[in-house]
Every structure is written in C-alpha cells, then in structure tokens.
Amino acid sequence: MSWTRGFLAALAVCVLLLAGPAGCGTGDAHEQKQGASPSPVGKLLDHTDEEGRRYREVDGEGAPAVRVEVQPATGGAWDVRLHLRHFRFSPPGAKAEAVAGRGTALLLVDGRPVAELRTPSHRLTADRLPHGTHQVTVRLYADDDTVWAVHGDPVESTAAITASGAETAPSVSVQGAPVRMWGRGSPDPGGEAS
C-alpha cells in the first residue's frame, strides 16, 4: 500500500510540474505577446501643461521626438508637417493608457490648442493665422493624456511664422531644444529645421 501511495504522489508531482507553466499564471506572458506592457511607461512628474495634464518623463535615448515644418499653402492657409522619430500615432478609440512611443499630437497656435492630430500633416486655415507673427507648436501626448517629456521638458517643437497676406516668401524659424528636435534646429530657406 505504501508503494501505491508513493507512486501516486510522484505521479501527481509530475503532472503538476508539466501542467504548471501551461495551466497556471497571471496571463502576463500572453499580455506581453499582444504588445501590452504590464508595467507603467516612464515616470509621472508634478509638472503640468497649460491644461493641467501631467508630464510623463522618459529616458532621452529612444524617446519620442518631433520637428514641425510650416509652409504657406493656397488661399492664405498654411500646411503643417510633422517629422517624427520613435513615435507613432494611435488610432481613434485607443485605450487610455501610456504605451511607449505612441499617442497623439496637440497643435497650438500662440499657446492656444487648435487641433488634436493623429496624422503627420494638417492644414491651418487663414483665419487661424491672421496677419502678424505667430508661434506654431506641436506637443506629443500619450494616450492617457500625459505629456511626453525628456529631462523635465515637454517633447515639442515650435515654428515662428509671419503671416503677411502675400505668403510667397514666408518668414519661418524653428525653435526648440535638441532633446525635442534633431539636427541643428535652424531653418533652411524652406523653413524646415535641419
């Protein structure tokens, strides 16, 4: 009888060892295969943007980056183009969570929000940029509405443009820290930072 109990106990241990990894667990391995991160991305800071959205600090290496280019278009409109690195736009309806290198961009004119962007191009109508000098800023956000930040600064790029009504030779300059842009940051004659 002792031999039978020992055999059954050994058999039960073998079954548990074989079935354990396949039948037990929290599902973390399955979630990671589908691209979900079980741990938070970056570190939330106490800093906020103008609308109270907190900054999410990430390491500089591999961090999202944006460079904005603004060019005159027909009818007094302006074409805004984003050049992105280590960042992709989330589709509408994406889950409200921070995922590394993913989210939306907020387009601001003179510090006021104009549009949430999910594509790298946008057209500003002439009424958005009346005669005068304006700051066109693009800032990157995670899907949970936190601001992507590096070294405590938001990941953004700003172009200063002057709308004169005859937009054949615009005055365009690009500003921003090297962390948020790449290249020298000074515009070439076409108004694009190099």
Side-chain angles (χ1 to χ4, degrees), residues 125-169:
T125 57
D127 62 323
R128 294 285 189 179
L129 293 169
H131 183 75
T133 300
H134 303 280
Q135 303 292 317
V136 178
T137 301
V138 174
R139 185 177 300 147
L140 300 182
Y141 288 82
D143 289 321
D144 65 352
D145 273 346
T146 54
V147 181
W148 289 115
V150 176
H151 303 299
D153 293 322
V155 177
E156 64 183 23
S157 177
T158 297
I161 65 166
T162 301
S164 63
E167 308 310 342
T168 55

Side-chain angles (χ1 to χ4, degrees), residues 17-165:
L17 288 175
L18 292 174
C24 299
T26 62
D28 287 346
H30 179 68
E31 289 175 15
Q32 288 177 350
K33 283 183 190 174
Q34 293 180 354
S37 173
S39 63
V41 177
K43 176 185 173 187
L44 284 176
L45 303 179
D46 290 331
H47 295 8
T48 62
D49 69 0
E50 302 84 4
E51 297 186 11
R53 291 178 273 195
R54 291 178 69 182
Y55 286 13
R56 181 175 296 279
E57 179 81 24
V58 292
D59 291 333
E61 187 175 326
V66 62
R67 181 170 45 104
V68 64
E69 174 187 347
V70 183
Q71 295 288 328
T74 60
W78 294 79
D79 285 333
V80 177
R81 285 184 189 48
L82 309 183
H83 301 275
L84 302 163
R85 190 164 51 174
H86 305 297
F87 186 82
R88 69 183 197 274
F89 288 107
S90 297
K95 190 173 181 181
E97 68 181 9
V99 176
R102 196 177 82 186
T104 62
L106 183 64
L107 178 63
L108 301 106
V109 174
D110 298 330
R112 289 183 299 278
V114 172
E116 180 183 65
L117 305 179
R118 292 186 183 271
T119 62
S121 61
H122 183 78
R123 180 161 285 186
L124 284 170
T125 57
D127 62 323
R128 294 285 189 179
L129 293 169
H131 183 75
T133 300
H134 303 280
Q135 303 292 317
V136 178
T137 301
V138 174
R139 185 177 300 147
L140 300 182
Y141 288 82
D143 289 321
D144 65 352
D145 273 346
T146 54
V147 181
W148 289 115
V150 176
H151 303 299
D153 293 322
V155 177
E156 64 183 23
S157 177
T158 297
I161 65 166
T162 301
S164 63

